[in-house]
Amino acid sequence: MSATVDTIPAIGRGFRLQWEAAQDCHVLLYPEGMVKLNQSAGEILKRCDGERDVAGIVTDLEQAFGANGLERDVLAFLDMAHQQKWVQW
Amino acid sequence: MVSAAQRPGPPLWLLAELTYRCPLHCVFCYNPVDFATREHELSTDDWLRVLREAREQGSVQCGFSGGEPMLRDDLEILVAEAHRLGYYTNLLTSGVGLTEARIAALKEAGLDHIQLSFQDSTREVNDFLSHTRTFELKEKVAAMIKAHGYPMVMNVVIHRLNIDHMDRIIGMADELGAEYLELANSQYYSWAEVNREHLLPTREQIERAEAITARWREKLDGRMRIFFVVPDYHERRPKRCMNGWGNVFLTVTPDGTALPCHTARMLPGLEFPNVRDMSVHDIWYASEGFNRYRGTGWMKEPCASCDEKEKDLGGCRCQAYMLTQDPAAADPVCAKSPHHHLITDAVALAERSGGRSEHPLVFRGPAESRRLAKAGGD
Ligand code: SF4
Ligand code: SF4
């Protein structure tokens, strides 16, 4: 099902998110592979801690980057990430 | 040679082959046929140092394999350190020796992932193929893996002796709750090369197996992801072996030899460094063994002037050497190779012979290993 502002996303089982100095980016590690994340993907996933809901994540991102109107992009990204099993809820 | 401009990326994957010891006797075993002559295993401290050094060079994935890695009683220590260093830790096991106590300890140590290998879905064929009664044990292990919250990832090596059981293999994987199933056709190196006449399936068998796999994919509707890896003998272009020589993978064998792939030691005229004498940094960037077949500079015709050379990098060096005695030749799987007939002949023989061979099937084991090492004059 699609993400809404009430969804509480967490990193998917079997995936591991970490900052990787050698790649200079956040990466998602999973069996037999690695996804290098661009900055916005890294910033969103970093906040998927299984505690905050999407509304909270969006507020936090908007504050951190002095932006607004991020909700649509965040929801779209989370739907994609959910399909890839990077996140679960 | 490798200039500064083409400096290779980091060794993202560290494959730690902890031991060649194994209670099983697989006829397709990928350990070198002379494994029994290489008994001097790295110590715990050696491995801890290798883990640290490789991590410093940018390794992120660590696979613990063997042989049977469960036979190392320091496995939990190594996994814990790898986890602490920031590796994604993978265990590749046949399940023998994976008890409830050890899986709990491994989980506690931070093990991320387990891949369980099966020889087949039927107890009889499984026992025949692995030469031991391990099938029921694997069922138990599969249940433990799930109970500890790991995704259940199964790997089955496919060959002529089990390919006709594809339907049952997939059905069993589903029953065990496998989320990923890799059906990897045997590659013809090491023990599988010795047994090639018995193991190489026919084109028709592969097509049937693929059709069965496709039907299951539809039926399962995403519940289990199935990867079917076609044997390259049935292709007209080689695979990009190890994703490129010295490009991603760093294999460290039980005795500390560092290799770009686990069979590379067979190649003549090439010294491979040992982690006992050289740092991972120097092994990866400065050793002759890792630089020799990097990129495309070493190629001869037909590869040198081929417009596909960046795609497959000339295929597998070991396969080229095994079949043509020249490690810099094009992989004979390639239809452009002047040796391609060696592949088509082997496939044709598989079609004709019905899998019968005048050579007996050779089960992997120390005695056979010593015999083969002697015969090979090694
Ligand atoms: S392929 Fe079989 S015999 Fe070889 S190491 Fe693996 S389980 Fe042991
Ligand atoms: S000739 Fe060499 S580089 Fe070209 S496709 Fe064949 S193996 Fe690859």
Side-chain angles (χ1 to χ4, degrees):
Chain A
M1 83 229 110
S2 302
T4 68
V5 287
D6 299 323
T7 301
I8 301 179
I11 298 299
R13 184 169 65 102
F15 286 87
R16 179 152 157 190
L17 175 75
Q18 68 190 29
W19 174 259
E20 196 55 30
Q23 309 288 337
D24 197 25
C25 63
H26 277 97
V27 299
L28 262 184
L29 298 173
Y30 59 97
E32 324 216 322
M34 174 174 86
V35 199
K36 295 189 203 179
L37 300 166
N38 63 24
Q39 200 209 352
S40 54
E43 291 297 336
I44 298 170
L45 288 176
K46 202 165 96 176
R47 289 168 172 79
C48 294
D49 53 12
E51 286 172 16
R52 276 179 274 194
D53 60 12
V54 172
I57 291 172
V58 170
T59 314
D60 192 35
L61 283 166
E62 289 178 344
Q63 257 163 22
F65 295 97
N68 46 46
L70 295 183
E71 187 180 301
R72 257 186 56 183
D73 289 350
V74 172
L75 286 172
F77 172 79
L78 286 175
D79 282 338
M80 185 281 294
H82 191 239
Q83 231 167 31
Q84 305 287 328
K85 303 196 174 166
W86 298 351
V87 288
Q88 58 187 39
W89 54 69
Chain B
M1 290 289 95
V2 181
S3 69
Q6 325 162 281
R7 185 178 160 92
L12 288 175
W13 254 103
L14 172 66
L15 292 168
E17 288 186 338
L18 297 180
T19 179
Y20 283 143
R21 289 172 288 141
C22 183
L24 303 190
H25 306 276
C26 301
V27 291
F28 52 78
C29 181
Y30 45 80
N31 286 165
V33 289
D34 66 354
F35 76 87
T37 63
R38 306 178 184 275
E39 281 172 339
H40 192 34
E41 289 185 9
L42 290 181
S43 68
T44 308
D45 284 344
D46 289 330
W47 278 116
L48 292 174
R49 184 172 46 78
V50 169
L51 288 172
R52 278 194 294 274
E53 288 182 5
R55 183 72 186 116
E56 275 162 22
Q57 296 310 315
S59 294
V60 286
Q61 291 279 355
C62 180
F64 292 101
S65 71
E68 176 47 66
M70 295 310 303
L71 290 177
R72 288 278 303 215
D73 50 19
D74 56 359
L75 181 63
E76 289 81 350
I77 299 173
L78 302 180
V79 167
E81 178 66 0
H83 179 75
R84 195 188 64 77
L85 289 166
Y87 283 99
Y88 195 90
T89 52
N90 302 268
L91 174 65
L92 289 79
T93 179
S94 65
V96 181
L98 192 62
T99 57
E100 176 57 36
R102 290 200 81 187
I103 195 171
L106 287 165
K107 177 97 194 177
E108 175 72 26
L111 182 67
D112 289 298
H113 187 70
I114 302 175
Q115 181 186 297
L116 184 62
S117 60
F118 274 72
Q119 276 69 59
D120 188 22
S121 67
T122 59
R123 164 94 185 253
E124 290 69 30
V125 181
N126 181 64
D127 284 347
F128 169 63
L129 290 173
S130 64
H131 223 217
T132 50
R133 306 199 156 265
T134 56
F135 182 76
E136 278 168 15
L137 177 128
K138 280 177 178 162
E139 268 185 313
K140 261 183 237 153
V141 170
M144 272 192 313
I145 288 174
K146 287 201 71 99
H148 281 271
Y150 288 108
M152 189 27 219
V153 178
M154 255 177 75
N155 175 283
V156 184
V157 176
I158 301 298
H159 42 73
R160 186 175 199 125
L161 300 171
N162 66 8
I163 193 164
D164 294 328
H165 299 283
M166 192 60 84
D167 192 54
R168 290 175 67 184
I169 291 173
I170 301 176
M172 177 197 68
D174 186 40
E175 260 170 59
L176 293 175
E179 284 145 84
Y180 300 86
L181 173 62
E182 187 179 67
L183 301 165
N185 271 277
S186 179
Q187 308 225 330
Y188 296 97
Y189 307 100
S190 304
W191 297 83
E193 199 222 356
V194 173
N195 290 314
R196 190 177 72 184
E197 286 180 28
H198 296 272
L199 298 180
L200 189 64
T202 65
R203 156 110 21 225
E204 199 200 330
Q205 283 178 305
I206 291 169
E207 281 167 4
R208 219 165 33 229
E210 276 182 311
I212 291 168
T213 307
R215 271 209 303 283
W216 272 99
R217 280 204 190 99
E218 230 165 85
K219 185 164 145 192
L220 292 167
D221 192 27
R223 183 163 74 227
M224 172 167 81
R225 289 179 65 188
I226 310 179
F227 304 89
F228 186 91
V229 188
V230 178
D232 62 358
Y233 269 56
H234 291 270
E235 307 272 18
R236 295 178 57 78
R237 288 289 180 274
K239 63 186 164 20
R240 185 182 167 102
C241 189
M242 300 306 282
N243 202 17
W245 180 275
N247 190 31
V248 174
F249 289 96
L250 168 63
T251 296
V252 178
T253 64
D255 67 4
T257 307
L259 300 172
C261 86
H262 53 256
T263 54
R265 189 144 50 181
M266 73 166 79
L267 300 175
L270 202 49
E271 282 293 317
F272 289 103
N274 192 295
V275 297
R276 295 185 216 255
D277 337 298
M278 207 187 265
S279 70
V280 168
H281 175 277
D282 289 355
I283 286 171
W284 188 252
Y285 292 105
S287 73
E288 161 70 0
F290 277 77
N291 279 330
R292 173 79 70 91
Y293 299 111
R294 266 200 175 116
T296 55
W298 53 272
M299 286 179 174
K300 310 179 173 178
E301 292 304 332
C303 299
S305 63
C306 176
D307 58 5
E308 293 171 72
K309 67 181 176 188
E310 295 294 341
K311 207 161 92 200
D312 59 46
L313 297 170
C316 173
R317 295 303 87 227
C318 300
Q319 191 145 275
Y321 171 65
M322 279 187 303
L323 297 177
T324 75
Q325 286 73 55
D326 176 2
D331 185 333
V333 162
C334 182
K336 296 186 192 178
S337 156
H339 299 102
H340 184 59
H341 63 93
L342 296 172
I343 298 288
T344 48
D345 289 352
V347 172
L349 179 65
E351 308 286 343
R352 271 201 319 273
S353 71
R356 281 181 301 278
S357 164
E358 46 202 78
H359 310 289
L361 193 57
V362 180
F363 291 92
R364 170 218 149 109
E368 282 303 326
S369 170
R370 277 188 282 272
R371 185 179 67 76
L372 288 165
K374 230 165 152 192
D378 197 349

